[in-house]
Amino acid sequence: DTEVTQTPKHLVMGMTNKKSLKCEQHMGHRAMYWYKQKAKKPPELMFVYSYEKLSINESVPSRFSPECPNSSLLNLHLHALQPEDSALYLCASSQGGRLNTEAFFGQGTRLTVV
Amino acid sequence: AQSVTQPDIHITVSEGASLELRCNYSYGATPYLFWYVQSPGQGLQLLLKYFSGDTLVQGIKGFEAEFKRSQSSFNLRKPSVHWSDAAEYFCAVGAYGGATNKLIFGTGTLLAVQP
């Protein structure tokens, strides 16, 4: 199983809503990532969890709150988002945080903030 | 600082023609290099990777890439393009991120395939 599963595939939320994005992998990977991707742009790293601990936060606004409940799950909690936060949110995982490991990506959640 | 440059924003090729997508990197140590492909609205799929050894690496879907240290390049090639290859292609380098390493992506090359 080389899959990273993200739910939901699509999400529309108002600026006062609270919602969560979910990501799951069963490859035994110990590093998990959240990326944000705007149209026609490369993915931008948001957060990295390594061995269930937050190891990188790329100065992401606090309205995005990551959580790693266990080694297979990664959540991204959303609150008070702005329309400019509309994007494709990608989850990825890799065996560890080493340079020579490949990252496996999920299909993404298309988020629209209205 | 580490960086990846993809000089071509958009490329159009005819089906059956050969393809080369350019990628240049800036990295102080031995680079770990990747090519990913993304179809519209989808996630990224790894095409191939270079860690060490043979500088010509083979990937999925008939793609190959050649690592040239002297030119700081890792260009992606395919001898005969199929219409299903139309997608966005990203070159990436593995980079130290402090506690955990991370991928740095180029800006991408959008490939269109003409019948």
Side-chain angles (χ1 to χ4, degrees):
Chain A
D1 182 5
T2 57
E3 270 199 10
V4 176
T5 303
Q6 291 188 242
T7 55
K9 286 187 169 40
H10 300 275
L11 178 63
V12 179
M13 62 184 290
M15 289 189 283
T16 59
N17 290 160
K18 287 185 182 181
K19 296 286 185 184
S20 297
L21 309 184
K22 297 185 185 304
C23 175
E24 190 168 6
Q25 57 88 13
H26 296 288
M27 295 178 277
H29 289 173
R30 302 313 299 268
M32 296 186 76
Y33 310 76
W34 280 115
Y35 286 85
K36 174 182 177 180
Q37 186 179 26
K38 301 285 274 184
K40 303 189 188 304
K41 297 289 188 184
E44 297 175 17
L45 184 64
M46 300 175 72
F47 302 104
V48 181
Y49 273 83
S50 179
Y51 292 85
E52 298 157 54
K53 288 185 168 43
L54 183 65
S55 61
I56 296 180
N57 176 343
E58 295 281 39
S59 304
V60 178
S62 60
R63 57 186 184 270
F64 295 91
S65 175
E67 178 196 21
C68 189
N70 60 56
S71 60
S72 299
L73 292 174
L74 184 66
N75 298 323
L76 185 63
H77 302 298
L78 314 173
H79 173 55
L81 294 193
Q82 303 297 310
E84 59 264 29
D85 296 321
S86 298
L88 182 68
Y89 287 84
L90 294 164
C91 173
S93 70
S94 65
Q95 277 191 326
R98 300 188 309 277
L99 286 172
N100 60 340
T101 57
E102 61 191 83
F104 292 82
F105 284 80
Q107 294 298 294
T109 294
R110 173 72 61 189
L111 174 67
T112 303
V113 181
V114 297
Chain B
Q2 308 100 335
S3 66
V4 176
T5 301
Q6 293 179 247
D8 304 305
I9 296 172
H10 188 265
I11 282 183
T12 300
V13 299
S14 298
E15 191 167 16
S18 63
L19 171 70
E20 183 169 25
L21 301 183
R22 295 183 290 164
C23 171
N24 293 97
Y25 66 88
S26 172
Y27 193 68
T30 300
Y32 297 93
L33 296 161
F34 307 83
W35 274 100
Y36 284 87
V37 61
Q38 185 177 34
S39 296
Q42 300 295 308
L44 279 71
Q45 181 182 23
L46 181 70
L47 285 175
L48 46 77
K49 62 195 179 211
Y50 172 77
F51 293 160
S52 65
D54 193 348
T55 56
L56 185 63
V57 293
Q58 302 298 320
I60 62 171
K61 305 184 180 188
F63 285 92
E64 66 177 26
E66 186 171 12
F67 170 63
K68 293 185 178 179
R69 185 185 297 276
S70 61
Q71 298 177 19
S72 298
S73 69
F74 188 56
N75 293 349
L76 182 71
R77 301 194 294 249
K78 187 170 184 178
S80 178
V81 169
H82 187 262
W83 63 267
S84 60
D85 293 323
E88 184 96 36
Y89 291 79
F90 292 100
C91 182
V93 64
Y96 286 110
T100 307
N101 299 316
K102 58 185 180 181
L103 286 172
I104 294 178
F105 287 92
T107 49
T109 297
L110 183 62
L111 174 66
V113 180
Q114 286 181 335

Short mmCIF file of all heavy atoms in Angstrom, two decimals, chain A residues 31 33 35 37 40-45 48-50 55-56 58 88 90 96-108 110, chain B residues 27 30 32 34 36 38 40-46 49 51 88 90 94-103 105-108 110:
data_model
loop_
_atom_site.label_atom_id
_atom_site.label_comp_id
_atom_site.label_asym_id
_atom_site.label_seq_id
_atom_site.Cartn_x
_atom_site.Cartn_y
_atom_site.Cartn_z
N ALA A 31 7.50 10.60 8.83
CA ALA A 31 7.46 12.03 8.55
C ALA A 31 6.22 12.31 7.72
O ALA A 31 5.93 11.60 6.74
CB ALA A 31 8.70 12.49 7.79
N TYR A 33 3.68 15.64 6.07
CA TYR A 33 3.82 17.02 5.61
C TYR A 33 2.47 17.59 5.18
O TYR A 33 1.65 16.87 4.61
CB TYR A 33 4.74 17.09 4.38
CG TYR A 33 6.06 16.37 4.52
CD1 TYR A 33 6.15 14.98 4.42
CD2 TYR A 33 7.25 17.09 4.71
CE1 TYR A 33 7.37 14.33 4.52
CE2 TYR A 33 8.47 16.44 4.81
CZ TYR A 33 8.52 15.06 4.72
OH TYR A 33 9.72 14.41 4.83
N TYR A 35 1.26 20.67 2.59
CA TYR A 35 1.63 21.66 1.59
C TYR A 35 0.38 22.41 1.16
O TYR A 35 -0.71 21.84 1.11
CB TYR A 35 2.22 21.01 0.34
CG TYR A 35 3.63 20.49 0.48
CD1 TYR A 35 3.87 19.21 0.99
CD2 TYR A 35 4.72 21.25 0.07
CE1 TYR A 35 5.16 18.72 1.09
CE2 TYR A 35 6.01 20.76 0.17
CZ TYR A 35 6.22 19.50 0.68
OH TYR A 35 7.49 19.02 0.79
N GLN A 37 -1.02 24.62 -2.19
CA GLN A 37 -0.69 24.88 -3.58
C GLN A 37 -1.75 25.76 -4.22
O GLN A 37 -2.90 25.37 -4.34
CB GLN A 37 -0.55 23.57 -4.38
CG GLN A 37 -0.06 23.78 -5.80
CD GLN A 37 0.10 22.50 -6.57
OE1 GLN A 37 -0.56 21.50 -6.28
NE2 GLN A 37 0.98 22.51 -7.57
N LYS A 40 -1.41 27.13 -10.60
CA LYS A 40 -0.25 27.39 -11.45
C LYS A 40 1.03 27.71 -10.65
O LYS A 40 1.94 28.38 -11.16
CB LYS A 40 -0.53 28.51 -12.45
CG LYS A 40 -1.73 28.24 -13.34
CD LYS A 40 -1.85 29.26 -14.44
CE LYS A 40 -3.13 29.12 -15.23
NZ LYS A 40 -3.31 27.79 -15.80
N LYS A 41 1.09 27.25 -9.41
CA LYS A 41 2.26 27.46 -8.55
C LYS A 41 2.73 26.12 -8.01
O LYS A 41 1.96 25.15 -7.97
CB LYS A 41 1.91 28.37 -7.37
CG LYS A 41 1.50 29.77 -7.77
CD LYS A 41 2.66 30.56 -8.29
CE LYS A 41 2.27 32.01 -8.50
NZ LYS A 41 3.39 32.79 -9.10
N PRO A 42 4.00 26.05 -7.58
CA PRO A 42 4.45 24.80 -6.95
C PRO A 42 3.90 24.69 -5.54
O PRO A 42 3.46 25.68 -4.96
CB PRO A 42 5.98 24.97 -6.91
CG PRO A 42 6.18 26.45 -6.88
CD PRO A 42 5.07 27.05 -7.70
N PRO A 43 3.92 23.49 -4.98
CA PRO A 43 3.51 23.33 -3.58
C PRO A 43 4.42 24.11 -2.64
O PRO A 43 5.63 24.16 -2.84
CB PRO A 43 3.65 21.82 -3.34
CG PRO A 43 3.63 21.21 -4.69
CD PRO A 43 4.26 22.20 -5.60
N GLU A 44 3.81 24.72 -1.62
CA GLU A 44 4.57 25.44 -0.60
C GLU A 44 4.44 24.67 0.71
O GLU A 44 3.33 24.39 1.17
CB GLU A 44 4.01 26.85 -0.38
CG GLU A 44 4.09 27.75 -1.57
CD GLU A 44 3.38 29.08 -1.28
OE1 GLU A 44 3.12 29.38 -0.10
OE2 GLU A 44 3.06 29.79 -2.23
N LEU A 45 5.56 24.37 1.32
CA LEU A 45 5.56 23.64 2.58
C LEU A 45 4.94 24.49 3.68
O LEU A 45 5.25 25.68 3.82
CB LEU A 45 6.98 23.24 2.95
CG LEU A 45 7.13 22.38 4.20
CD1 LEU A 45 6.48 21.02 4.02
CD2 LEU A 45 8.61 22.23 4.56
N VAL A 48 5.78 20.23 8.95
CA VAL A 48 6.33 18.89 8.91
C VAL A 48 6.25 18.30 10.30
O VAL A 48 6.62 18.95 11.28
CB VAL A 48 7.81 18.86 8.46
CG1 VAL A 48 8.32 17.42 8.42
CG2 VAL A 48 7.98 19.54 7.11
N TYR A 49 5.76 17.06 10.38
CA TYR A 49 5.81 16.28 11.60
C TYR A 49 6.82 15.16 11.41
O TYR A 49 6.80 14.47 10.40
CB TYR A 49 4.44 15.68 11.94
CG TYR A 49 3.57 16.61 12.74
CD1 TYR A 49 2.81 17.60 12.11
CD2 TYR A 49 3.50 16.51 14.13
CE1 TYR A 49 2.01 18.45 12.85
CE2 TYR A 49 2.71 17.37 14.88
CZ TYR A 49 1.97 18.34 14.22
OH TYR A 49 1.17 19.18 14.96
N SER A 50 7.67 15.00 12.39
CA SER A 50 8.64 13.92 12.37
C SER A 50 8.48 13.15 13.67
O SER A 50 8.60 13.73 14.75
CB SER A 50 10.06 14.47 12.25
OG SER A 50 11.01 13.42 12.26
N SER A 55 8.08 19.48 13.62
CA SER A 55 9.49 19.83 13.46
C SER A 55 9.71 21.05 12.58
O SER A 55 10.74 21.71 12.68
CB SER A 55 10.30 18.65 12.91
OG SER A 55 9.82 18.28 11.63
N ILE A 56 8.76 21.34 11.71
CA ILE A 56 8.88 22.54 10.88
C ILE A 56 7.51 23.22 10.81
O ILE A 56 6.50 22.58 10.53
CB ILE A 56 9.36 22.22 9.44
CG1 ILE A 56 10.78 21.65 9.46
CG2 ILE A 56 9.30 23.46 8.56
CD1 ILE A 56 11.32 21.30 8.07
N GLU A 58 6.46 26.60 8.77
CA GLU A 58 7.01 27.62 7.88
C GLU A 58 6.27 28.95 8.05
O GLU A 58 5.75 29.54 7.09
CB GLU A 58 6.93 27.15 6.41
CG GLU A 58 7.78 25.94 6.11
CD GLU A 58 9.26 26.29 5.93
OE1 GLU A 58 9.79 27.15 6.67
OE2 GLU A 58 9.91 25.71 5.05
N LEU A 88 -5.36 24.22 -3.11
CA LEU A 88 -5.28 22.76 -2.98
C LEU A 88 -4.33 22.46 -1.83
O LEU A 88 -3.19 22.93 -1.83
CB LEU A 88 -4.76 22.15 -4.29
CG LEU A 88 -4.67 20.62 -4.34
CD1 LEU A 88 -6.05 19.98 -4.32
CD2 LEU A 88 -3.90 20.18 -5.59
N LEU A 90 -2.24 19.71 0.10
CA LEU A 90 -1.67 18.39 -0.15
C LEU A 90 -0.99 17.86 1.11
O LEU A 90 -0.27 18.59 1.79
CB LEU A 90 -0.62 18.48 -1.26
CG LEU A 90 -1.14 18.83 -2.66
CD1 LEU A 90 0.00 19.25 -3.56
CD2 LEU A 90 -1.87 17.64 -3.26
N GLY A 96 11.26 8.92 6.61
CA GLY A 96 11.82 9.68 7.71
C GLY A 96 12.16 11.05 7.20
O GLY A 96 11.71 11.44 6.12
N GLY A 97 12.95 11.76 7.92
CA GLY A 97 13.29 13.10 7.48
C GLY A 97 14.59 13.17 6.73
O GLY A 97 15.15 14.25 6.54
N ARG A 98 15.07 12.00 6.24
CA ARG A 98 16.36 12.01 5.54
C ARG A 98 16.21 12.63 4.16
O ARG A 98 15.15 12.64 3.56
CB ARG A 98 16.89 10.58 5.41
CG ARG A 98 17.10 9.88 6.74
CD ARG A 98 17.82 8.54 6.51
NE ARG A 98 17.21 7.72 5.50
CZ ARG A 98 16.16 6.91 5.70
NH1 ARG A 98 15.62 6.88 6.90
NH2 ARG A 98 15.68 6.18 4.73
N LEU A 99 17.32 13.13 3.64
CA LEU A 99 17.31 13.76 2.32
C LEU A 99 16.99 12.75 1.23
O LEU A 99 16.32 13.07 0.25
CB LEU A 99 18.67 14.38 2.02
CG LEU A 99 19.00 15.68 2.75
CD1 LEU A 99 20.44 16.05 2.48
CD2 LEU A 99 18.06 16.78 2.34
N ASN A 100 17.49 11.51 1.38
CA ASN A 100 17.35 10.55 0.30
C ASN A 100 16.14 9.65 0.49
O ASN A 100 16.23 8.44 0.42
CB ASN A 100 18.62 9.71 0.16
CG ASN A 100 18.94 8.93 1.43
OD1 ASN A 100 18.45 9.29 2.50
ND2 ASN A 100 19.71 7.89 1.31
N THR A 101 15.04 10.26 0.81
CA THR A 101 13.78 9.50 0.86
C THR A 101 12.76 10.24 0.01
O THR A 101 12.73 11.47 -0.01
CB THR A 101 13.24 9.36 2.29
OG1 THR A 101 13.08 10.66 2.85
CG2 THR A 101 14.19 8.56 3.14
N GLU A 102 11.94 9.46 -0.67
CA GLU A 102 10.95 10.09 -1.52
C GLU A 102 9.68 10.35 -0.72
O GLU A 102 9.35 9.62 0.21
CB GLU A 102 10.65 9.21 -2.72
CG GLU A 102 10.08 7.85 -2.35
CD GLU A 102 10.04 6.93 -3.56
OE1 GLU A 102 11.08 6.32 -3.85
OE2 GLU A 102 8.97 6.84 -4.16
N ALA A 103 8.99 11.40 -1.10
CA ALA A 103 7.72 11.73 -0.48
C ALA A 103 6.58 11.23 -1.36
O ALA A 103 6.63 11.34 -2.58
CB ALA A 103 7.61 13.24 -0.28
N PHE A 104 5.57 10.66 -0.71
CA PHE A 104 4.37 10.20 -1.38
C PHE A 104 3.26 11.21 -1.07
O PHE A 104 3.05 11.54 0.09
CB PHE A 104 3.97 8.81 -0.88
CG PHE A 104 4.93 7.73 -1.28
CD1 PHE A 104 6.09 7.51 -0.57
CD2 PHE A 104 4.65 6.91 -2.38
CE1 PHE A 104 6.98 6.51 -0.93
CE2 PHE A 104 5.54 5.90 -2.74
CZ PHE A 104 6.70 5.71 -2.03
N PHE A 105 2.58 11.64 -2.11
CA PHE A 105 1.56 12.67 -1.95
C PHE A 105 0.15 12.09 -2.06
O PHE A 105 -0.09 11.16 -2.84
CB PHE A 105 1.72 13.75 -3.02
CG PHE A 105 2.85 14.70 -2.76
CD1 PHE A 105 4.16 14.34 -3.06
CD2 PHE A 105 2.61 15.93 -2.18
CE1 PHE A 105 5.21 15.22 -2.80
CE2 PHE A 105 3.65 16.81 -1.94
CZ PHE A 105 4.95 16.46 -2.24
N GLY A 106 -0.74 12.68 -1.30
CA GLY A 106 -2.16 12.40 -1.48
C GLY A 106 -2.72 13.19 -2.66
O GLY A 106 -2.01 13.98 -3.28
N GLN A 107 -4.01 12.95 -2.92
CA GLN A 107 -4.66 13.63 -4.05
C GLN A 107 -5.07 15.06 -3.73
O GLN A 107 -5.46 15.81 -4.62
CB GLN A 107 -5.89 12.83 -4.50
CG GLN A 107 -5.53 11.47 -5.07
CD GLN A 107 -4.66 11.59 -6.30
OE1 GLN A 107 -5.07 12.08 -7.34
NE2 GLN A 107 -3.41 11.15 -6.20
N GLY A 108 -5.01 15.41 -2.48
CA GLY A 108 -5.30 16.78 -2.11
C GLY A 108 -6.74 17.04 -1.73
O GLY A 108 -7.65 16.27 -2.07
N ARG A 110 -9.35 20.19 -2.21
CA ARG A 110 -9.58 21.49 -2.84
C ARG A 110 -10.44 22.32 -1.90
O ARG A 110 -11.60 22.01 -1.70
CB ARG A 110 -10.27 21.30 -4.18
CG ARG A 110 -10.71 22.60 -4.85
CD ARG A 110 -9.55 23.38 -5.37
NE ARG A 110 -8.79 22.67 -6.40
CZ ARG A 110 -7.62 23.08 -6.88
NH1 ARG A 110 -7.07 24.19 -6.44
NH2 ARG A 110 -7.02 22.36 -7.80
N TYR B 27 22.75 23.89 -4.90
CA TYR B 27 22.84 23.18 -3.63
C TYR B 27 24.29 22.92 -3.33
O TYR B 27 25.04 22.51 -4.21
CB TYR B 27 22.05 21.86 -3.71
CG TYR B 27 21.83 21.20 -2.38
CD1 TYR B 27 20.99 21.77 -1.44
CD2 TYR B 27 22.45 19.99 -2.06
CE1 TYR B 27 20.78 21.17 -0.21
CE2 TYR B 27 22.24 19.39 -0.84
CZ TYR B 27 21.41 19.98 0.08
OH TYR B 27 21.20 19.38 1.29
N THR B 30 26.00 17.18 -2.08
CA THR B 30 25.45 16.24 -3.06
C THR B 30 23.94 16.37 -3.08
O THR B 30 23.30 16.22 -2.04
CB THR B 30 25.82 14.80 -2.69
OG1 THR B 30 27.23 14.69 -2.67
CG2 THR B 30 25.23 13.82 -3.70
N TYR B 32 19.99 15.55 -3.74
CA TYR B 32 19.05 14.47 -3.93
C TYR B 32 17.90 15.06 -4.75
O TYR B 32 17.22 15.97 -4.30
CB TYR B 32 18.56 13.92 -2.59
CG TYR B 32 19.69 13.32 -1.80
CD1 TYR B 32 20.40 14.08 -0.87
CD2 TYR B 32 20.07 12.00 -1.99
CE1 TYR B 32 21.45 13.52 -0.16
CE2 TYR B 32 21.11 11.44 -1.28
CZ TYR B 32 21.80 12.21 -0.36
OH TYR B 32 22.85 11.66 0.33
N PHE B 34 14.57 14.99 -7.62
CA PHE B 34 13.32 14.31 -7.92
C PHE B 34 12.61 15.03 -9.08
O PHE B 34 12.72 16.23 -9.25
CB PHE B 34 12.38 14.34 -6.71
CG PHE B 34 12.99 13.84 -5.42
CD1 PHE B 34 13.78 14.67 -4.63
CD2 PHE B 34 12.75 12.54 -5.00
CE1 PHE B 34 14.33 14.21 -3.44
CE2 PHE B 34 13.29 12.08 -3.81
CZ PHE B 34 14.08 12.90 -3.04
N TYR B 36 8.54 15.16 -10.24
CA TYR B 36 7.15 14.80 -9.95
C TYR B 36 6.28 15.29 -11.10
O TYR B 36 6.57 16.30 -11.74
CB TYR B 36 6.66 15.45 -8.66
CG TYR B 36 7.17 14.82 -7.39
CD1 TYR B 36 8.38 15.21 -6.82
CD2 TYR B 36 6.42 13.83 -6.74
CE1 TYR B 36 8.83 14.63 -5.64
CE2 TYR B 36 6.86 13.26 -5.56
CZ TYR B 36 8.05 13.65 -5.02
OH TYR B 36 8.51 13.09 -3.87
N GLN B 38 2.10 16.22 -12.07
CA GLN B 38 0.79 16.52 -11.47
C GLN B 38 -0.23 16.75 -12.57
O GLN B 38 -0.09 17.69 -13.36
CB GLN B 38 0.88 17.75 -10.57
CG GLN B 38 -0.40 18.06 -9.83
CD GLN B 38 -0.26 19.25 -8.89
OE1 GLN B 38 0.47 20.19 -9.18
NE2 GLN B 38 -0.96 19.20 -7.76
N PRO B 40 -4.14 17.86 -13.66
CA PRO B 40 -4.98 18.93 -13.10
C PRO B 40 -5.82 18.48 -11.91
O PRO B 40 -6.51 17.46 -11.98
CB PRO B 40 -5.86 19.31 -14.30
CG PRO B 40 -5.07 18.97 -15.49
CD PRO B 40 -4.28 17.74 -15.12
N GLY B 41 -5.73 19.25 -10.83
CA GLY B 41 -6.52 18.97 -9.65
C GLY B 41 -6.12 17.74 -8.87
O GLY B 41 -6.84 17.33 -7.95
N GLN B 42 -4.99 17.17 -9.22
CA GLN B 42 -4.54 15.92 -8.57
C GLN B 42 -3.31 16.16 -7.69
O GLN B 42 -2.75 17.25 -7.68
CB GLN B 42 -4.20 14.87 -9.63
CG GLN B 42 -5.37 14.51 -10.54
CD GLN B 42 -6.48 13.84 -9.78
OE1 GLN B 42 -6.26 12.86 -9.07
NE2 GLN B 42 -7.69 14.35 -9.91
N GLY B 43 -2.91 15.12 -6.98
CA GLY B 43 -1.69 15.18 -6.21
C GLY B 43 -0.48 14.98 -7.09
O GLY B 43 -0.58 14.89 -8.32
N LEU B 44 0.69 14.90 -6.47
CA LEU B 44 1.93 14.73 -7.21
C LEU B 44 2.34 13.26 -7.21
O LEU B 44 2.25 12.58 -6.19
CB LEU B 44 3.05 15.55 -6.56
CG LEU B 44 3.11 17.03 -6.90
CD1 LEU B 44 1.97 17.80 -6.26
CD2 LEU B 44 4.44 17.62 -6.48
N GLN B 45 2.80 12.82 -8.37
CA GLN B 45 3.28 11.45 -8.51
C GLN B 45 4.77 11.49 -8.84
O GLN B 45 5.20 12.24 -9.72
CB GLN B 45 2.51 10.73 -9.62
CG GLN B 45 2.94 9.28 -9.80
CD GLN B 45 2.19 8.59 -10.94
OE1 GLN B 45 1.69 9.23 -11.86
NE2 GLN B 45 2.12 7.29 -10.88
N LEU B 46 5.54 10.67 -8.13
CA LEU B 46 6.97 10.64 -8.38
C LEU B 46 7.27 9.92 -9.68
O LEU B 46 6.83 8.80 -9.89
CB LEU B 46 7.68 9.91 -7.23
CG LEU B 46 9.20 9.83 -7.35
CD1 LEU B 46 9.82 11.20 -7.16
CD2 LEU B 46 9.76 8.85 -6.33
N LYS B 49 13.93 9.53 -9.37
CA LYS B 49 14.74 10.20 -8.36
C LYS B 49 16.21 9.88 -8.61
O LYS B 49 16.54 8.84 -9.20
CB LYS B 49 14.34 9.73 -6.97
CG LYS B 49 14.55 8.23 -6.76
CD LYS B 49 13.82 7.72 -5.54
CE LYS B 49 14.06 6.22 -5.40
NZ LYS B 49 12.95 5.49 -4.80
N PHE B 51 19.76 9.73 -6.32
CA PHE B 51 20.43 9.85 -5.02
C PHE B 51 21.94 9.74 -5.19
O PHE B 51 22.69 10.52 -4.62
CB PHE B 51 19.93 8.78 -4.05
CG PHE B 51 18.49 8.94 -3.65
CD1 PHE B 51 17.77 7.87 -3.13
CD2 PHE B 51 17.83 10.16 -3.77
CE1 PHE B 51 16.44 8.01 -2.76
CE2 PHE B 51 16.50 10.31 -3.39
CZ PHE B 51 15.81 9.23 -2.88
N GLU B 88 1.52 19.00 -15.44
CA GLU B 88 2.54 19.91 -14.89
C GLU B 88 3.66 19.05 -14.32
O GLU B 88 3.40 18.05 -13.63
CB GLU B 88 1.94 20.76 -13.78
CG GLU B 88 2.87 21.81 -13.20
CD GLU B 88 2.67 23.18 -13.83
OE1 GLU B 88 1.52 23.51 -14.12
OE2 GLU B 88 3.67 23.91 -13.99
N PHE B 90 7.19 19.01 -12.04
CA PHE B 90 7.97 19.72 -11.04
C PHE B 90 9.28 18.99 -10.77
O PHE B 90 9.27 17.78 -10.50
CB PHE B 90 7.20 19.84 -9.72
CG PHE B 90 5.99 20.72 -9.79
CD1 PHE B 90 4.73 20.17 -9.92
CD2 PHE B 90 6.11 22.11 -9.70
CE1 PHE B 90 3.60 20.97 -9.98
CE2 PHE B 90 4.99 22.92 -9.76
CZ PHE B 90 3.72 22.35 -9.90
N GLY B 94 15.98 17.66 -2.42
CA GLY B 94 15.87 17.46 -0.98
C GLY B 94 16.83 18.40 -0.28
O GLY B 94 18.00 18.47 -0.66
N ALA B 95 16.34 19.10 0.73
CA ALA B 95 17.17 20.11 1.37
C ALA B 95 17.08 19.98 2.88
O ALA B 95 16.05 19.55 3.42
CB ALA B 95 16.71 21.51 0.94
N TYR B 96 18.15 20.36 3.56
CA TYR B 96 18.14 20.36 5.02
C TYR B 96 17.16 21.43 5.51
O TYR B 96 17.21 22.57 5.09
CB TYR B 96 19.53 20.65 5.58
CG TYR B 96 20.48 19.49 5.44
CD1 TYR B 96 21.54 19.56 4.56
CD2 TYR B 96 20.29 18.32 6.16
CE1 TYR B 96 22.41 18.48 4.41
CE2 TYR B 96 21.15 17.25 6.04
CZ TYR B 96 22.21 17.34 5.15
OH TYR B 96 23.06 16.29 5.01
N GLY B 97 16.28 21.02 6.43
CA GLY B 97 15.32 21.98 6.99
C GLY B 97 15.49 22.13 8.48
O GLY B 97 14.57 22.50 9.18
N GLY B 98 16.65 21.81 8.96
CA GLY B 98 16.86 21.88 10.41
C GLY B 98 16.58 20.52 11.02
O GLY B 98 17.28 19.56 10.77
N ALA B 99 15.48 20.43 11.78
CA ALA B 99 15.18 19.16 12.44
C ALA B 99 14.78 18.09 11.44
O ALA B 99 15.02 16.91 11.65
CB ALA B 99 14.06 19.37 13.46
N THR B 100 14.15 18.50 10.37
CA THR B 100 13.68 17.53 9.37
C THR B 100 13.98 18.10 8.00
O THR B 100 13.90 19.31 7.78
CB THR B 100 12.16 17.31 9.51
OG1 THR B 100 11.86 16.98 10.84
CG2 THR B 100 11.68 16.21 8.58
N ASN B 101 14.30 17.21 7.09
CA ASN B 101 14.58 17.67 5.74
C ASN B 101 13.29 17.88 4.96
O ASN B 101 12.22 17.42 5.36
CB ASN B 101 15.50 16.66 5.06
CG ASN B 101 16.79 16.54 5.82
OD1 ASN B 101 17.38 17.52 6.23
ND2 ASN B 101 17.23 15.32 6.06
N LYS B 102 13.40 18.59 3.86
CA LYS B 102 12.20 18.95 3.11
C LYS B 102 12.51 19.04 1.63
O LYS B 102 13.67 19.06 1.24
CB LYS B 102 11.66 20.29 3.61
CG LYS B 102 12.66 21.44 3.49
CD LYS B 102 12.11 22.70 4.11
CE LYS B 102 13.11 23.85 3.99
NZ LYS B 102 12.59 25.09 4.61
N LEU B 103 11.47 19.10 0.83
CA LEU B 103 11.62 19.25 -0.61
C LEU B 103 11.51 20.72 -0.99
O LEU B 103 10.63 21.43 -0.50
CB LEU B 103 10.53 18.48 -1.35
CG LEU B 103 10.65 16.96 -1.41
CD1 LEU B 103 9.39 16.37 -2.01
CD2 LEU B 103 11.86 16.55 -2.22
N PHE B 105 10.79 22.84 -4.37
CA PHE B 105 10.28 22.64 -5.72
C PHE B 105 10.67 23.78 -6.65
O PHE B 105 10.77 24.94 -6.23
CB PHE B 105 8.75 22.55 -5.71
CG PHE B 105 8.21 21.27 -5.15
CD1 PHE B 105 7.88 21.17 -3.80
CD2 PHE B 105 8.02 20.16 -5.96
CE1 PHE B 105 7.38 19.99 -3.27
CE2 PHE B 105 7.52 18.98 -5.45
CZ PHE B 105 7.20 18.90 -4.11
N GLY B 106 10.85 23.44 -7.92
CA GLY B 106 10.91 24.45 -8.95
C GLY B 106 9.50 24.96 -9.24
O GLY B 106 8.51 24.47 -8.70
N THR B 107 9.42 25.95 -10.11
CA THR B 107 8.14 26.59 -10.39
C THR B 107 7.26 25.78 -11.33
O THR B 107 6.10 26.12 -11.52
CB THR B 107 8.36 27.97 -11.00
OG1 THR B 107 9.30 27.86 -12.07
CG2 THR B 107 8.89 28.94 -9.97
N GLY B 108 7.80 24.72 -11.89
CA GLY B 108 6.99 23.84 -12.71
C GLY B 108 7.04 24.17 -14.20
O GLY B 108 7.27 25.32 -14.60
N LEU B 110 4.54 23.40 -17.52
CA LEU B 110 3.27 22.87 -18.00
C LEU B 110 3.46 22.33 -19.41
O LEU B 110 3.87 23.06 -20.31
CB LEU B 110 2.20 23.96 -18.00
CG LEU B 110 0.80 23.51 -18.42
CD1 LEU B 110 0.26 22.46 -17.46
CD2 LEU B 110 -0.14 24.71 -18.49
#
